[in-house]
Amino acid sequence: MPNHTHHTHHTHHSHSAPFVATCPDCEIERPSDSAAELVAFYRRHHRYTGHDIVVTRADLEFGAALDAADDIAAVVDGLDARYGVDKHDSTKSGTAGVPIGIVVAAMSERGFTVGETLEAIADVRMTGALYEPRDDHLAAF
């Protein structure tokens, strides 16, 4: 009896998920319906293994946000027009910011790993160019 059904299903699932991240060290692949889950996966995986992960699939259009300078604050500002929660999230009136998962996915298009992106965000937040209007959401001043 062939024992490849689970593998085939896993492969099919990962191709249908809008987001996929991989740990190059462990060769673990994590499909997800949410960019935020990729960040959560990174945090858990890094805490236990010390490894970084890369986003290998993101079904999003980043357009002009990635045409900006290499400054992550410029990327966040560019993403805000399309993915900022104040434009798409009616659950909290007046909130703002781009989900960190979206920023991570956009920066992966430029060759940044999830860890490198989170480190760059932390560095730029120290300069005051970025702030976090609510948990795991970023906005540029």
Side-chain angles (χ1 to χ4, degrees), residues 5 8 15 24 46 82 87 89 108-109:
T5 307
T8 304
H15 287 301
H46 185 73
R82 186 159 191 168
K87 288 132 184 102
D89 184 352
S108 75
E109 296 281 309

Side-chain angles (χ1 to χ4, degrees), residues 31-50:
S32 177
D33 292 327
S34 150
E37 174 53 31
L38 298 182
V39 176
F41 168 58
Y42 164 78
R43 288 173 175 156
R44 285 189 308 270
H45 192 70
H46 185 73
R47 186 168 46 247
Y48 291 112
T49 66

Side-chain angles (χ1 to χ4, degrees), residues 34-37 39 43 72 76-77 79-80 82-92 94-104 118 121-122 125 129-141:
S34 150
E37 174 53 31
V39 176
R43 288 173 175 156
I72 196 160
V76 170
D77 195 42
L79 290 170
D80 189 49
R82 186 159 191 168
Y83 297 105
V85 295
D86 57 334
K87 288 132 184 102
H88 303 289
D89 184 352
S90 59
T91 60
K92 289 189 178 180
T95 61
V98 178
I100 286 179
I102 301 291
V103 177
V104 163
L118 295 179
I121 289 167
R125 283 187 66 192
L130 287 175
Y131 69 102
E132 196 169 354
R134 65 180 184 165
D135 284 351
D136 284 342
H137 288 73
L138 294 169
F141 280 109

Side-chain angles (χ1 to χ4, degrees), residues 8-68:
T8 304
H9 173 72
H10 176 73
T11 302
H12 172 72
H13 179 71
S14 66
H15 287 301
S16 63
F19 301 96
V20 178
T22 302
C23 173
D25 295 310
C26 297
E27 298 182 4
I28 292 174
E29 184 177 85
R30 173 61 54 95
S32 177
D33 292 327
S34 150
E37 174 53 31
L38 298 182
V39 176
F41 168 58
Y42 164 78
R43 288 173 175 156
R44 285 189 308 270
H45 192 70
H46 185 73
R47 186 168 46 247
Y48 291 112
T49 66
H51 298 163
D52 204 344
I53 65 169
V54 294
V55 177
T56 55
R57 177 185 177 99
D59 283 350
L60 297 170
E61 292 293 325
F62 301 115
L66 292 181
D67 295 336

